[in-house]
Amino acid sequence: REFLEHRDRDIRVLAFRLASFVTLDFESRLALLRSLNDTDAKIRGLAIVAVGRQKMTQAIPELARCLRLEGLQQARQAAAALGDMPPQGWRTLEELSTNPNPVTALAAGEALARAKRES
């Protein structure tokens, strides 16, 4: 957790990259969740990827928020993370694939189709 919340951005970036591949304790998982709202877009993107790889279903509401509010690249990352969390993530993608925001609908639809194809 201390590296995920470090003052030095470069250290944080490295910590987030590593967080995708190691077992995290409770405090580190909370730090990942908080980082989905970070002011730094790169950190938010890395947090989205890490949360998805960790299959943190408690992050589904935040990932849905990211999918609705972020630009296309991060919306796709959030959608891919949701696609890795069936069945709840898939239900969320189904709902968001009909969203009036074209970026949200596109990213959700793509991720849901990919997830179903790969399952």
Side-chain angles (χ1 to χ4, degrees), residues 56-113:
M56 294 174 56
T57 56
Q58 67 270 35
I60 287 176
E62 284 300 312
L63 290 171
R65 185 194 59 74
C66 291
L67 184 50
R68 287 190 309 272
L69 300 177
E70 296 288 350
L72 184 58
Q73 178 182 349
Q74 286 187 337
R76 282 183 167 149
Q77 289 172 327
L82 289 165
D84 288 339
M85 297 183 212
Q88 303 101 318
W90 288 21
R91 280 195 297 271
T92 302
L93 287 173
E94 286 171 353
E95 293 169 13
L96 292 172
S97 67
T98 61
N99 191 285
N101 178 334
V103 169
T104 301
L106 175 67
E110 289 173 347
L112 185 58

Side-chain angles (χ1 to χ4, degrees), residues 6 15 21 34 58 82 84 108 117:
H6 201 276
F21 302 103
R34 284 191 296 271
Q58 67 270 35
L82 289 165
D84 288 339
R117 201 173 42 249

